[in-house]
Amino acid sequence: MKILVLGSGAREHAIILGLRAEQKEHEIFVAPGNAGIAQDAIPVSLDPLDGAAITEFANENAVDLVVVGPEAPLVAGVADVLRERGIPVFGPGRAAAQLEGSKSFAKRIMDAAGVPTGRAVRAATTAEVEAAFDDLGAPHVVKADGLAAGKGVIVTSDRAEALAHAEQYLPSGPVLVEEFLSGPEVSLFFLSDGDTVRALSPAQDFKRALDGDEGPNTGGMGAYSPLPWLAEQFGSEKAFVDEVTRDVALPVIRQLDGEGTPFIGLLYAGLILTPAGVRVIEFNARFGDPETQVVLPRLVTPLSELLLAAASGTLEDQPDPEFRDDVAITVVVASEGYPEAPQTGRPIEGLSEAASVEGVRLVHAATASPDAPGGSLVATGGRVLNVVATAADFRTARDRAYEAIGRIRLEGSHHRTDIAARVAE
């Protein structure tokens, strides 16, 4: 197949590596990609938000499938432009992508579909925010209603801090003040063709910047899959996945279809396992980052077949995806100052040494080639690299990941040292 992947981060690199793992003669393009992705796909100078230019490229190059990685092009309606021209695209149209683009829209869909979630109050003024705090109590959960690159959420018992967060986003529109829910969090991905869904294997990510879930929220500092502890509460991973498919994914997909906005692509369900049962924290309309980096290396079923079936409306003909028993973890190497003010432009050394560790692959999030030939790659963003390690058990996978990280040199960089530590005990 000829496949065009839109995006420039670690999620897109992980998707491309998943396609490469099939050992088929795919011709893979990426727009725009990064320095690491360029080793595994053909970079194309296209703006992922420019639907017309992407459509023209796809037609001129006989592209069989377009995979939209990030959320911004989805919310901008790029998938709609491609579909109107008959190009198979994995990613929801603008209307369905509001499931991620608007927290209020997502809450309305959940309520209409009867999906279990926490209480939420839409607040447009400081006074309404404070009234919601009084109603829902502490800890306070405040979410920007629109896209915020993983940084629009705060959970705190400090009322002043929560109010300041709300006031940061109120000039752009209302915020959501939500009921605080406690329990372990799980990320679960569903492929959807607008009617049928197929679940992938669950993962857990780590949002806080520092060990022990301390520090500010980030886009994600690491993840692991599978989640062996699910069996304690649900009997098996399959039983958990079946429950969430029945109570969350299918009702949402059917609600959107019934409203004339079918969801075609990847439904990301951010879940929390409360004492009262599974509750939805949020939905995303694309593969999660960094969970994709640990879910796809375990996938046995050819990824291209799943993506094309979803894009073409034939997912019901696909059996449930199969996964290896091997475990996977990823640890994010971040620039100094991330997430508040990341330092960029610094050289990255030791990548080949890190990649030589058994079971390790490097997934690039924000890297660029140097100006001078023969120099080191440089960091261009906050989350720079994902070190992904697979093994038969979590202890070995962790050892491999952190051994590889020890070989990477990026001035001022930081990473969490406790990713998957509990399941490795």
Side-chain angles (χ1 to χ4, degrees), residues 162-178:
L163 189 61
H165 181 82
E167 290 175 336
Q168 176 184 348
Y169 291 98
L170 281 174
S172 302
V175 299
L176 250 62
V177 181
E178 297 191 1

Side-chain angles (χ1 to χ4, degrees), residues 126 129-130 133 138-140 142 154-168:
T126 298
V129 171
E130 294 204 90
F133 288 170
H140 307 295
V142 182
I154 192 170
V155 181
T156 178
S157 295
D158 185 328
R159 186 181 177 110
E161 184 183 20
L163 189 61
H165 181 82
E167 290 175 336
Q168 176 184 348

Side-chain angles (χ1 to χ4, degrees), residues 55-283:
T55 301
E56 182 179 357
F57 175 87
N59 280 328
E60 289 179 352
N61 292 273
V63 169
D64 299 298
L65 174 67
V66 177
V67 180
V68 186
E71 58 272 27
L74 296 170
V75 174
V78 168
D80 296 309
V81 179
L82 290 159
R83 282 200 183 93
E84 287 166 6
R85 296 291 295 273
I87 299 167
V89 54
F90 183 82
R94 183 200 306 267
Q98 287 302 302
L99 206 59
E100 175 169 5
S102 168
K103 301 293 190 297
S104 298
F105 177 87
K107 283 292 185 181
R108 181 186 70 75
I109 292 295
M110 282 188 268
D111 288 344
V115 168
T117 186
R119 292 175 57 208
V121 176
R122 192 168 184 261
T125 66
T126 298
E128 290 178 357
V129 171
E130 294 204 90
F133 288 170
D134 293 338
D135 179 26
L136 297 174
H140 307 295
V141 181
V142 182
K143 296 182 177 180
D145 191 41
L147 297 179
K151 303 179 185 72
V153 180
I154 192 170
V155 181
T156 178
S157 295
D158 185 328
R159 186 181 177 110
E161 184 183 20
L163 189 61
H165 181 82
E167 290 175 336
Q168 176 184 348
Y169 291 98
L170 281 174
S172 302
V175 299
L176 250 62
V177 181
E178 297 191 1
E179 172 189 9
F180 174 76
L181 301 172
S182 62
E185 295 185 19
V186 177
S187 300
L188 187 54
F189 299 163
F190 293 91
L191 301 148
S192 170
D193 63 3
D195 179 51
T196 300
V197 299
R198 291 287 183 264
L200 301 184
S201 184
Q204 185 174 67
D205 76 334
F206 296 72
K207 289 294 186 191
R208 299 283 188 169
L210 307 176
D211 285 2
D213 293 327
E214 299 290 336
N217 253 353
T218 73
M221 294 298 291
Y224 69 93
S225 177
L227 310 183
W229 45 268
L230 283 174
E232 298 173 11
Q233 185 170 344
F234 295 89
S236 67
E237 176 181 299
K238 183 181 185 303
F240 169 78
V241 169
D242 288 348
E243 177 179 322
V244 179
T245 302
R246 181 190 69 235
D247 296 344
V248 175
L250 281 173
V252 165
I253 294 302
R254 287 168 180 164
Q255 180 67 32
L256 289 168
D257 189 37
E259 294 189 7
T261 56
F263 189 101
I264 300 166
L266 197 290
L267 176 65
Y268 168 126
L271 309 165
I272 188 163
L273 312 187
T274 77
V278 178
R279 299 289 183 269
V280 176
I281 305 173
E282 65 175 354
F283 287 122

Side-chain angles (χ1 to χ4, degrees), residues 350-362 387-390 396-408:
L351 296 184
S352 58
E353 297 96 314
S356 70
V357 175
E358 183 181 357
V360 165
R361 69 179 71 182
L362 301 184
V387 176
V388 180
T390 56
T396 305
R398 274 177 48 82
D399 288 346
R400 290 173 174 177
Y402 285 109
E403 179 184 348
I405 285 177
R407 301 182 183 189
I408 296 171

